Amino acid sequence: MFNIEEELKKLPSQPGVYLMHNAKDEIIYVGKAVNLKNRVRQYFQSSRNKTAKIERMVSHIARFEYIVTDSELEALVLECNLIKEHRPRYNTMLKDDKTYPYIKVTVQEEFPRVLFSRDMKKDKSRYFGPYTSAGAVKDTIELIHKLYRIRTCRRSLPKDIGKERPCLNYHIHQCSAPCQGYISKEEYGENVNEALDFLGGKYDLILNRLQEKMMAASDAMDFEKAIEYRDLLESVKKVAQKQKITASEEEDRDIIAMSRDMEDVVVQVFFVREGKLIGREHFHLRAELEEDKSQILTSFVKQFYAGTPFVPRELWTQAPLNDEEVIGQWLSAKKGQKVRLTVPKKGDKERLIELAERNATLVLTQDRERIKRDEMRTTGAVKELEELLGLSGISRMEAFDISNISGFDSVGSMVVYEQGRPKRNDYRKFRIKWVKGPDDYASMKEVLLRRFSHGMEEAKLMKEKGVDKELGSFTRFPDLIMMDGGRGQVNIALEVLKELDLHIPVCGMVKDDNHRTRGLYYQNKEIPIDRRSEGFKLITRIQDEAHRFAIEYHRSLRSKGQVRSVLDDIEGIGDTRRKALLKRFKSVEGIREAQVEELQSVPGMNRKAAESVYEFFH
């Protein structure tokens, strides 16, 4: 048993990271401290003035753990990594988890290439970005190939020159074929340098050159060529128009500002590269009312730059960051050179912050209704179910279904919803192993036994090995089990839970005679539910998803030729008798309803075989 008072006495007076766990052993908060002893003890001191958010969080703490580091900077890095991995409930969290594309120029190669990249590595290549649109990056790279005829192949040049024929890009005039020696290294290098200038925003040279070539082709009445140059000219102009100059200094910087409406926050980031605005992006956060701009922006900066490989030379923020010094050290270490953190107070710099804030406000206004609708159909729907069932704290729900064709090759499905949204990585499917014949209750019992026994074994293994991270989706048990059916299916689930000594609420999703959801079966009574409510719609989605997932698995087995007739499992029934029975009774259901005398009258059937079939079904 974890004794908080005793464990507080053992805390070291060193920098580090602390992790708060709830009664389900979920990590609900991650924080860093210069002095672990002082910081963690503050949470449990009644005399401290704590915010409502911290009060709620502390009320759910069942235990805590900590990791000692050598410095506050190390603690910051570890905190960022742990927040990203565990996404704790009481940390201010980014709702978006985006990666940004870059344009990579392999200048370290003798014949460089221009490539699309999601990563920024220390490999001596030159990177441009990050860009906010993968499509725009691909269009730009395609334009560069047309303009400068840079190669895309992976051939090792100059070693492989002349070994193979030129590729299609050479024939469509998008590569100068250095692989054949058709262009010298010096001339190819000039083209690469011009491409680098283009990516750096220097468009005048190529615009003038394309204009001259278009006019020359037109004068020579080579109109096809003139149209080609005109199209390239328009493409370059489009790229140039998107990159608006924001400052005279050719510097890389991110401009960060936020707007909020109660607990909903939008952070807007302008990406400025070499003095030009190359893109912008907004991010949704959920913050507590008592958190101020500095706290929210600090949480954003730590999470955002922990997940993106590119760090600019400057960060302009709307408000000062907490832990500014240590964050500056962290970003500088990631960048490999000094990163400046600035809060603009006047002039053009302040106006750019205001512009970012106005954009954030605009996004927040436009998205407010969409966000509310999304929350109503997810977390709002879960709250409706909590009220309906008299439960609280429902986060993870698991639903189960069985699918078969007349009982043969039965399969089970498990779908998972967290906070009202499907968590598809945790879906699982089961091939029924222990049950023979058409018995949905027995099949469901097998699925539930396997699911929860597996989870208990995983948890035991974790405890023995001292592993904190979950080994698989089975380790996490649901807050509510949803059964596709009424009393019978619910009782099967309760029987399994009792056998395993588990205490999890179980409710059935009851359907009417037309196979439409009509209500919930919980604690021996059917609870009606408003068909227009979000809770009802969520139940229907979960039920349909469990059914779809089971059917999909069953179809995949059938497509592999793995599903046969249930008759093949009956002793004494081979291919000839199976075909004769199906010819007479048309279906397995018809055979199931037949009496022994009717079965015996089928050609090729004797008394023993007829009795074998009848006993199988009855």
Side-chain angles (χ1 to χ4, degrees):
M1 187 71 177
F2 191 89
N3 187 315
I4 289 178
E5 289 300 323
E6 288 301 316
E7 295 300 325
L8 286 173
K9 296 174 184 176
K10 301 175 186 177
L11 285 163
S13 300
Q14 293 174 256
V17 173
Y18 53 92
L19 300 89
M20 303 299 194
H21 294 251
N22 64 10
K24 297 177 184 176
D25 213 29
E26 297 168 332
I27 295 172
I28 59 173
Y29 188 77
V30 173
K32 72 166 183 65
V34 181
N35 185 313
L36 283 166
K37 189 181 190 71
N38 294 342
R39 184 72 186 95
V40 177
R41 286 169 66 90
Q42 287 174 3
Y43 288 100
F44 303 96
Q45 292 173 355
S46 57
S47 60
R48 303 285 304 182
N49 292 322
K50 296 192 280 286
T51 64
K53 172 187 174 182
I54 297 300
E55 290 278 10
R56 285 196 301 275
M57 187 265 287
V58 171
S59 71
H60 288 97
I61 296 174
R63 73 178 183 92
F64 61 80
E65 59 179 318
Y66 54 88
I67 303 168
V68 174
T69 60
D70 288 332
S71 66
E72 189 182 1
L73 178 58
E74 282 186 18
L76 174 70
V77 175
L78 182 57
E79 178 198 29
C80 292
N81 292 337
L82 290 172
I83 289 174
K84 186 174 183 182
E85 179 178 355
H86 296 289
R87 302 189 66 80
R89 179 179 177 182
Y90 288 98
N91 285 92
T92 300
M93 291 302 304
L94 262 174
K95 292 185 180 180
D96 311 85
D97 189 13
K98 303 175 181 176
T99 58
Y100 293 92
Y102 297 81
I103 293 176
K104 173 181 178 178
V105 185
T106 59
V107 292
Q108 74 276 21
E109 297 178 337
E110 291 196 50
F111 290 87
R113 296 168 293 156
V114 179
L115 307 170
F116 179 99
S117 177
R118 285 278 180 188
D119 299 312
M120 188 175 179
K121 301 174 181 175
K122 294 181 179 180
D123 55 4
K124 298 183 180 178
S125 296
R126 279 196 64 182
Y127 288 85
F128 294 84
Y131 296 88
T132 55
S133 167
V137 170
K138 290 171 184 174
D139 290 344
T140 302
I141 291 173
E142 184 180 347
L143 179 58
I144 286 172
H145 291 147
K146 289 178 180 177
L147 293 172
Y148 304 109
R149 301 188 179 183
I150 307 295
R151 73 186 182 105
T152 60
C153 66
R154 296 183 179 181
R155 296 177 188 178
S156 179
L157 303 182
K159 185 177 72 174
D160 292 341
I161 288 179
K163 287 187 177 180
E164 296 180 39
R165 291 181 298 175
C167 66
L168 179 63
N169 284 342
Y170 168 73
H171 296 291
I172 61 174
H173 310 296
Q174 290 193 19
C175 178
S176 51
C179 61
Q180 303 300 308
Y182 293 167
I183 184 172
S184 68
K185 180 180 175 182
E186 290 72 26
E187 189 179 352
Y188 186 88
E190 289 176 11
N191 290 346
V192 171
N193 288 333
E194 288 186 18
L196 290 170
D197 287 341
F198 177 85
L199 289 169
K202 298 176 182 176
Y203 306 113
D204 291 343
L205 180 64
I206 189 63
L207 286 170
N208 293 335
R209 186 178 298 171
L210 288 171
Q211 184 75 28
E212 290 170 4
K213 288 183 176 181
M214 182 180 72
M215 297 307 296
S218 179
D219 291 342
M221 302 187 74
D222 187 350
F223 299 117
E224 189 175 334
K225 203 72 177 171
I227 289 171
E228 183 183 331
Y229 288 130
R230 182 202 65 190
D231 291 344
L232 285 173
L233 192 63
E234 289 303 313
S235 296
V236 174
K237 284 180 179 177
K238 283 181 183 177
V239 172
Q241 286 169 0
K242 288 179 182 176
Q243 301 199 355
K244 301 171 185 176
I245 294 178
T246 61
S248 56
E249 310 98 341
E250 293 189 357
E251 191 64 270
D252 293 342
R253 69 175 60 89
D254 288 350
I255 301 168
I256 304 170
M258 56 162 275
S259 180
R260 75 180 300 170
D261 178 19
M262 303 297 284
E263 295 177 337
D264 292 320
V265 178
V266 169
V267 174
Q268 181 83 41
V269 184
F270 287 165
F271 301 109
V272 178
R273 301 296 176 259
E274 297 187 1
K276 297 176 179 63
L277 178 65
I278 66 163
R280 63 181 182 178
E281 192 60 89
H282 65 268
F283 303 85
H284 290 281
L285 291 90
R286 187 80 171 174
E288 298 293 331
L289 292 174
E290 56 266 27
E291 291 183 284
D292 60 23
K293 285 182 181 178
S294 291
Q295 290 173 304
I296 294 169
L297 291 174
T298 299
S299 294
F300 171 79
V301 166
K302 290 196 288 189
Q303 290 178 60
F304 179 68
Y305 292 102
T308 181
F310 183 84
V311 178
R313 285 289 305 276
E314 293 182 353
L315 254 65
W316 293 0
T317 57
Q318 185 181 14
L321 302 181
N322 299 335
D323 304 318
E324 186 173 312
E325 184 178 345
V326 71
I327 288 175
Q329 292 174 18
W330 169 56
L331 293 174
S332 298
K334 284 197 75 174
K335 176 74 175 171
Q337 59 187 126
K338 177 73 174 175
V339 173
R340 294 187 294 274
L341 304 179
T342 306
V343 182
K345 295 293 185 185
K346 59 183 179 179
D348 291 339
K349 293 181 179 180
E350 185 185 26
R351 282 193 286 275
L352 282 168
I353 287 286
E354 290 172 354
L355 180 62
E357 183 183 3
R358 287 203 300 274
N359 275 268
T361 303
L362 184 63
V363 170
L364 189 62
T365 303
Q366 291 172 342
D367 285 2
R368 187 179 291 123
E369 288 305 314
R370 180 187 61 78
I371 292 168
K372 284 181 179 176
R373 284 197 305 272
D374 184 56
E375 287 185 349
M376 282 177 63
R377 68 191 297 273
T378 53
T379 53
V382 173
K383 285 178 182 175
E384 284 184 20
L385 292 184
E386 287 180 343
E387 291 173 6
L388 202 65
L389 301 173
L391 298 171
S392 62
I394 296 177
S395 174
R396 182 183 176 98
M397 296 183 286
E398 293 181 4
F400 299 84
D401 192 19
I402 300 294
S403 176
N404 60 59
I405 296 179
S406 299
F408 187 80
D409 241 359
S410 294
V411 298
S413 69
M414 171 184 126
V415 300
V416 180
Y417 275 63
E418 285 194 357
Q419 299 296 333
R421 292 181 174 86
K423 191 177 183 184
R424 293 187 172 86
N425 286 345
D426 282 3
Y427 284 15
R428 290 295 180 269
K429 46 199 176 188
F430 302 82
R431 184 89 174 266
I432 302 302
K433 300 175 180 177
W434 309 338
V435 180
K436 300 297 180 185
D439 190 336
D440 283 357
Y441 284 170
S443 298
M444 182 60 76
K445 183 174 183 179
E446 177 187 331
V447 167
L448 294 170
L449 273 170
R450 286 166 58 187
R451 182 265 177 268
F452 289 106
S453 297
H454 190 164
M456 293 171 75
E457 288 167 10
E458 279 189 352
K460 183 180 178 183
L461 185 62
M462 287 168 52
K463 190 174 182 180
E464 288 173 354
K465 292 189 174 183
V467 178
D468 289 326
K469 190 174 180 181
E470 294 168 3
L471 297 179
S473 64
F474 283 168
T475 314
R476 285 199 61 196
F477 284 179
D479 303 304
L480 179 66
I481 297 171
M482 311 283 282
M483 302 301 296
D484 185 35
R487 182 194 299 268
Q489 294 282 17
V490 169
N491 287 340
I492 288 293
L494 292 173
E495 183 183 325
V496 170
L497 294 176
K498 184 177 180 181
E499 188 176 326
L500 298 175
D501 195 26
L502 294 173
H503 305 281
I504 302 170
V506 182
C507 74
M509 299 177 285
V510 186
K511 292 186 177 181
D512 59 21
D513 294 338
N514 296 315
H515 211 64
R516 293 178 303 187
T517 306
R518 74 176 187 221
L520 294 174
Y521 182 82
Y522 181 62
Q523 292 185 333
N524 294 318
K525 62 180 180 181
E526 187 172 319
I527 304 171
I529 183 168
D530 183 357
R531 289 177 179 271
R532 296 165 297 179
S533 69
E534 292 297 338
F536 176 83
K537 293 172 186 174
L538 176 61
I539 293 167
T540 304
R541 286 198 299 274
I542 292 172
Q543 197 167 33
D544 290 345
E545 182 71 347
H547 189 59
R548 178 201 65 78
F549 193 55
I551 291 291
E552 192 177 86
Y553 180 40
H554 207 266
R555 281 177 184 157
S556 73
L557 294 180
R558 294 207 310 271
S559 68
K560 295 172 185 175
Q562 291 177 311
V563 175
R564 305 166 291 141
S565 170
V566 67
L567 303 177
D568 291 339
D569 279 357
I570 304 175
E571 188 178 350
I573 302 301
D575 189 53
T576 302
R577 283 176 172 169
R578 174 170 57 83
K579 288 178 180 177
L581 285 166
L582 288 170
K583 185 177 181 180
R584 167 69 67 85
F585 297 105
K586 306 303 182 187
S587 68
V588 173
E589 286 301 316
I591 299 168
R592 185 201 305 268
E593 294 169 5
Q595 298 301 310
V596 174
E597 290 73 17
E598 294 176 278
L599 294 168
Q600 190 177 342
S601 67
V602 174
M605 292 288 289
N606 56 30
R607 183 75 182 182
K608 184 178 178 182
E611 289 176 348
S612 182
V613 172
Y614 185 84
E615 287 170 6
F616 178 83
F617 286 113
H618 298 87

